[in-house]
Amino acid sequence: MDNNVEMITEAIMEALKSRKIAGSGQTCTSGCRADLGEMEVPVGISNHHVHLSQQDLETCFGKGHQLESIKDLTQPGQFACKETVTLCGPKGALEKIRVLGPVRKESQVELLASDNFKLGIKAPLRLSGDLDGSAGVTVVGPCGSVFLKQGAIIAKRHIHMLPEDAARYGVTDGQMVSIEVPGDRGGVYGNVMVRVTDTSALDCHIDTEEANAMGLGSCTKLKMVI
């Protein structure tokens, strides 16, 4: 591990011995779900966050630790947790990063583009779960830290939907579409991946940087363009 990362991690671990990491507020904001017009989809705005494996969760928070839910997210079975961590890279650290549940088979860190500069890493633009060759980062909790050799990504914008939604919109799993954003700062985002599963809730996921750039709010309705 880079010497700078080791020094940053050690300093954070010492600080965490004397204080508890506070929450960082809402991680994902659900859009309004009712009264969607033709080709409209709700938006879910996501801040940087972390998914942990059970092993990495216990390293960071103690043996046998279980995630504590504080808010259900729009996708069924997913939730924002009370737990937060600090992320460390060669150039610096990001504190109070929300953990999302449930635990996963492999830990994943979803960053904003600007976080790369703060941490000094090069997290690639990827869909969730596509971690091969992604960036490494150190995750620090109140009880310990773990260095992920890979797992840090910037999430590609995408739309979750059920098969019946896909049939209604006339799209298929893996199809690339565009979305039109209304408002004074609105515009068009291209390269939006459609993700169709039997367990999805209709939602267009973009991160806070993309949302802020076009003045998006949690109840903005986006128009899908095929």
Side-chain angles (χ1 to χ4, degrees):
M1 192 187 303
D2 187 276
N3 288 336
N4 288 342
V5 177
E6 292 181 352
M7 293 174 62
I8 293 169
T9 302
E10 289 174 2
I12 290 171
M13 288 299 298
E14 286 298 318
L16 290 178
K17 290 178 181 179
S18 60
R19 69 178 178 86
K20 192 174 183 180
I21 299 179
S24 59
Q26 208 171 44
T27 300
C28 296
T29 306
S30 61
C32 296
R33 309 284 144 186
D35 302 323
L36 292 173
E38 184 178 1
M39 299 303 288
E40 284 187 335
V41 293
V43 64
I45 302 170
S46 181
N47 200 359
H48 44 208
H49 59 270
V50 175
H51 302 276
L52 293 174
S53 66
Q54 184 61 39
Q55 180 179 347
D56 291 342
L57 174 67
E58 294 187 17
T59 297
C60 291
F61 291 92
K63 187 175 181 180
H65 188 87
Q66 298 295 312
L67 291 171
E68 182 177 345
S69 174
I70 57 172
K71 179 181 176 62
D72 289 334
L73 302 179
T74 55
Q75 294 305 304
Q78 298 187 21
F79 51 92
C81 304
K82 180 180 179 181
E83 291 83 357
T84 64
V85 295
T86 296
L87 302 177
C88 296
K91 288 187 177 180
L94 296 170
E95 294 186 289
K96 302 178 183 178
I97 306 300
R98 185 70 59 193
V99 177
L100 302 189
V103 293
R104 294 193 175 184
K105 292 182 180 180
E106 186 174 4
S107 294
Q108 175 174 298
V109 176
E110 296 187 32
L111 299 171
L112 305 176
S114 60
D115 293 337
N116 272 335
F117 300 103
K118 296 175 184 177
L119 294 172
I121 64 175
K122 294 181 179 180
L125 185 66
R126 298 278 185 85
L127 287 173
S128 178
D130 182 8
L131 304 181
D132 288 347
S134 57
V137 69
T138 299
V139 182
V140 184
C143 294
S145 66
V146 58
F147 175 64
L148 305 178
K149 293 182 180 179
Q150 62 178 26
I153 64 171
I154 301 169
K156 284 186 177 181
R157 45 185 177 255
H158 56 277
I159 302 175
H160 289 288
M161 62 178 69
L162 293 165
E164 50 263 42
D165 295 319
R168 177 161 53 91
Y169 288 118
V171 296
T172 58
D173 183 48
Q175 184 173 343
M176 301 297 286
V177 299
S178 298
I179 51 172
E180 290 184 356
V181 181
D184 293 339
R185 299 186 65 187
V188 177
Y189 277 130
N191 301 317
V192 184
M193 175 73 76
V194 174
R195 308 194 77 177
V196 182
T197 71
D198 293 326
T199 57
S200 295
L202 183 61
D203 216 13
C204 180
H205 282 187
I206 66 174
D207 67 36
T208 54
E209 289 181 335
E210 294 174 313
N212 290 338
M214 289 199 184
L216 268 167
S218 61
C219 282
T220 304
K221 295 173 183 177
L222 308 175
K223 186 174 182 180
M224 184 165 50
V225 181
I226 300 174

